[in-house]
Amino acid sequence: MSERPYPFEKNRYYYGKMLTSADFQAEQRYNEYKRMFLNQMVLGRGVLCGLGVRMLDERTLLIESGAAVDGAGREITVPGDTVKKLSAFEGYDSLAKQKAALYVRYREETAQPVCVVNRKAEQDEYEDNRIREKYEFFLADCQERQQSGPDEDFFVEALLSGGPDYAVSLRMPAVVSRGRRVRLSLLVEKLSDEESSLSLSGVLKLPAFLTAEGAQELHICEEDIVLECGAFRTYDHWLYASEVEFDSTTILWDVDASAITVDGSEAECEPDPELPLRLTDRTPEELIKWRVGQKSLEEKNHGNEEEAVRLAEISIADEAHDHVLREVREFGVKRYIPVPESEEICREYLSYYSEHAEYIRDMLPAAEKKEEEIPAREAEAPVIRGGTLEIPLDVKMKKGKICYSEEIIHGLGPGNVYVDVGICNVDDGAGSRNKSDTVVYGDTGLFEGKNRQGISAQTAVKVFEARGSFQVAARLTGEQNTIVLPLRWTAVRVPDGTDTDGEDGNMQIVPETPTVRLSQGEKHYFSVRFKNMLPCTLKYELMEDGGGEIGPDGIYTAPAKAGIYEIRISCADHRSVCTYVYAVVGGKE
């Protein structure tokens, strides 16, 4: 549909008006266009239900029944399942690539011919009495990934490397709420069919953000990334947006301290990539409503220029000049339109998860956090880490009162770590880290009269070795003239003889119950404890055929035959770190 449905025009009825076919067509057009306009504005283009795509064999697709709304706002209804050979789809013969997109589009056809009673001289004797709404599927070459699109106002991207094998970029909201945690995404896309691996290391400069360790630099390291052509992988990093006074900032990629390699060779990198951002005091909820609502009518329709609805991406292999299906991918390709009918079940489902992703990360034990927060012992972790923190003070806090900080992740991982803190000297007494020019470690009372801030306090640090974190306690020893106690901390790993320079060394996995007695068909989970290492992915293997079944999650099902069966449990990343457990099958004592 090339014409716009607006401005809307409807019949004006009056006594004695002569109605012709043009008037009735205008009446239909008005109601259709109004409905299509609302579909465009409220729903957009996408699938309402069904329309799943499956491979039946290497040359045949099954498309399930369902409903969709196209870019013009027209409803597309597929009342039954469709089974079709790949070569029978429209557009198949014109495909130029080995990756295609499957679409469905709206179509009409006339039906039910009837005799024309009062016809014009040039008119046919028979006219079709109905217009039947239909649909059709077709194939088209996948479009190249665009850096901008309908969501370009909401997100900003910086391309780090553009191929030819891999594209690497950074992505964030274009406008960030101050005082909130925000996600920075590292996006990796495979562009070619060549088998290759990508490794990336780099430093991001964060003028207005803090990492989990309180630093204004984010170190990114991802190694041996292997993807198939067209596949994406996302690596998320959470940052805290500081409550700064300026309204715009830029995240910089330190080119000199960074490297991107493909199969060991340096990849093509963009010069001085950066993420320009704006900062606001609006909440994310207010911000998204405002930015969605401020779009003009032309901008709103910009994303609906393509009328057909994309259902899947299809990988096609050319085998001896005969195209066969290799893979069908729906996730990340098909857009589902949320409908009121599903809101209740969606709310109930989401209620089983934390409201914000950062809360989930805070609740995890330190050993389960991502590698950039707590580097594994076997990796090359920094020997020293540092940062700043603030302890809020009660108004008119009495001398001798003790206050505590939150638990802080120091970033050196579990083990023997020494942490010391000092009190920052601040001009305005409000805890602004930007104006600190001296730090007092130890007893601040020895510098009374020389410390412009005048905070007198004793500090102590409790280190949680197993969790890789610490907590600071402070006792006021003088008068209080600030509501925030600003501190600078330094963490140093103390060698204790357990580091093994990347070898397995003293790392162990110890079964909670090495031997269990089970009845035939009974299930049991073999849990383990990790010693001198972080928790990792485990592999479970039966040591003999007929010894039952064990899933990748470690749940063992005893066989029907009595006997003693051995199971090997090993670390996926360190196969030499392993243990053995035994199942005695044949009835419990």
Side-chain angles (χ1 to χ4, degrees), residues 473-525:
R475 174 190 289 140
L476 289 184
T477 58
E479 293 184 3
Q480 176 196 0
N481 61 355
T482 180
I483 59 172
V484 173
L485 180 62
L487 302 172
R488 181 176 297 170
W489 61 269
T490 303
V492 182
R493 173 170 293 286
V494 180
D496 56 5
T498 61
D499 291 331
T500 58
D501 296 327
E503 299 181 0
D504 296 343
N506 296 324
M507 296 190 298
Q508 294 180 347
I509 51 176
V510 180
E512 298 283 0
T513 309
T515 304
V516 295
R517 293 183 178 273
L518 303 173
S519 301
Q520 286 87 345
E522 188 176 355
K523 295 180 182 294
H524 178 78
Y525 170 64

Side-chain angles (χ1 to χ4, degrees), residues 133-424:
E133 294 184 348
K134 302 281 287 184
Y135 61 90
E136 60 183 355
F137 302 107
F138 68 96
L139 295 171
D141 287 318
C142 285
Q143 300 296 319
E144 297 294 334
R145 182 169 178 258
Q146 301 293 325
Q147 290 298 319
S148 60
D151 60 350
E152 61 182 339
D153 291 336
F154 299 94
F155 302 97
V156 61
E157 288 193 17
L159 185 65
L160 305 183
S161 175
D165 293 314
Y166 286 91
V168 183
S169 59
L170 298 170
R171 193 172 199 248
M172 275 188 72
V175 183
V176 178
S177 300
R178 296 185 183 95
R180 298 294 187 108
R181 295 187 70 182
V182 61
R183 185 176 69 194
L184 168 70
S185 295
L186 174 70
L187 308 176
V188 180
E189 179 188 7
K190 183 67 182 301
L191 303 176
S192 71
D193 289 319
E194 296 293 329
E195 292 186 4
S196 57
S197 65
L198 173 80
S199 294
L200 177 147
S201 64
V203 178
L204 285 173
K205 305 291 187 178
L206 312 170
F209 299 89
L210 296 175
T211 66
E213 295 82 19
Q216 290 189 299
E217 287 187 355
L218 176 64
H219 294 260
I220 297 177
C221 182
E222 302 294 343
E223 296 183 351
D224 299 328
I225 303 171
V226 179
L227 301 177
E228 295 183 356
C229 181
F232 285 88
R233 185 172 295 176
T234 302
Y235 300 89
D236 292 332
H237 304 269
W238 287 91
L239 306 174
Y240 173 76
S242 303
E243 299 186 58
V244 294
E245 297 180 357
F246 45 86
D247 296 325
S248 62
T249 185
T250 301
I251 292 180
L252 303 174
W253 176 257
D254 191 341
V255 177
D256 296 333
S258 306
I260 301 176
T261 60
V262 177
D263 285 343
S265 301
E266 190 171 340
E268 298 178 9
C269 296
E270 298 296 319
D272 301 325
E274 57 184 43
L275 276 174
L277 305 170
R278 283 182 286 165
L279 302 172
T280 180
D281 291 326
R282 294 174 182 262
T283 65
E285 294 78 13
E286 293 172 336
L287 188 63
I288 191 63
K289 289 179 182 178
W290 173 69
R291 292 191 64 79
V292 169
Q294 74 173 161
K295 280 182 172 289
S296 67
L297 191 58
E298 289 76 13
E299 291 173 325
K300 181 73 174 178
N301 282 322
H302 174 69
N304 293 329
E305 291 179 351
E306 184 182 352
E307 294 183 0
V309 179
R310 188 164 57 166
L311 301 181
E313 281 188 0
I314 300 170
S315 296
I316 303 172
D318 190 357
E319 296 184 359
H321 306 291
D322 186 14
H323 291 165
V324 297
L325 290 166
R326 186 169 61 183
E327 181 188 12
V328 174
R329 185 167 70 92
E330 295 181 275
F331 190 79
V333 176
K334 179 184 297 179
R335 176 187 179 268
Y336 286 98
I337 299 174
V339 294
E341 182 186 20
S342 63
E343 286 182 357
E344 183 176 350
I345 186 63
C346 288
R347 282 196 298 267
E348 182 179 357
Y349 179 81
L350 293 175
S351 69
Y352 283 82
Y353 293 88
S354 177
E355 182 178 0
H356 298 293
E358 58 264 33
Y359 294 164
I360 299 174
R361 291 164 59 87
D362 292 339
M363 289 161 51
L364 289 175
E368 297 180 10
K369 298 209 174 191
K370 294 181 69 175
E371 184 176 356
E372 68 269 15
E373 288 192 18
I374 306 176
R377 291 286 293 275
E378 60 270 21
E380 294 183 2
V383 178
I384 300 176
R385 281 289 180 92
T388 57
L389 63 95
E390 295 176 343
I391 301 179
L393 305 178
D394 296 334
V395 179
K396 297 181 181 180
M397 183 179 290
K398 294 182 180 180
K399 180 178 178 181
K401 182 75 178 292
I402 300 176
C403 49
Y404 302 90
S405 74
E406 297 180 349
E407 186 174 345
I408 308 296
I409 303 297
H410 52 61
L412 294 177
N416 191 5
V417 174
Y418 171 78
V419 181
D420 198 7
V421 296
I423 299 177
C424 298

Side-chain angles (χ1 to χ4, degrees), residues 3 6 44 58 77 212 228 233 324 341 353 375 456 459 466 470 497:
E3 59 178 316
Y6 46 82
E58 60 183 12
T77 304
E228 295 183 356
R233 185 172 295 176
V324 297
E341 182 186 20
Y353 293 88
S456 295
T459 59
F470 67 94

Side-chain angles (χ1 to χ4, degrees), residues 509-517 524-529 564-567 569 579-584:
I509 51 176
V510 180
E512 298 283 0
T513 309
T515 304
V516 295
R517 293 183 178 273
H524 178 78
Y525 170 64
F526 288 104
S527 59
V528 301
R529 288 181 287 110
I564 301 176
Y565 302 100
E566 185 179 36
I567 299 102
I569 307 175
T579 188
Y580 293 86
V581 293
Y582 300 89
V584 180

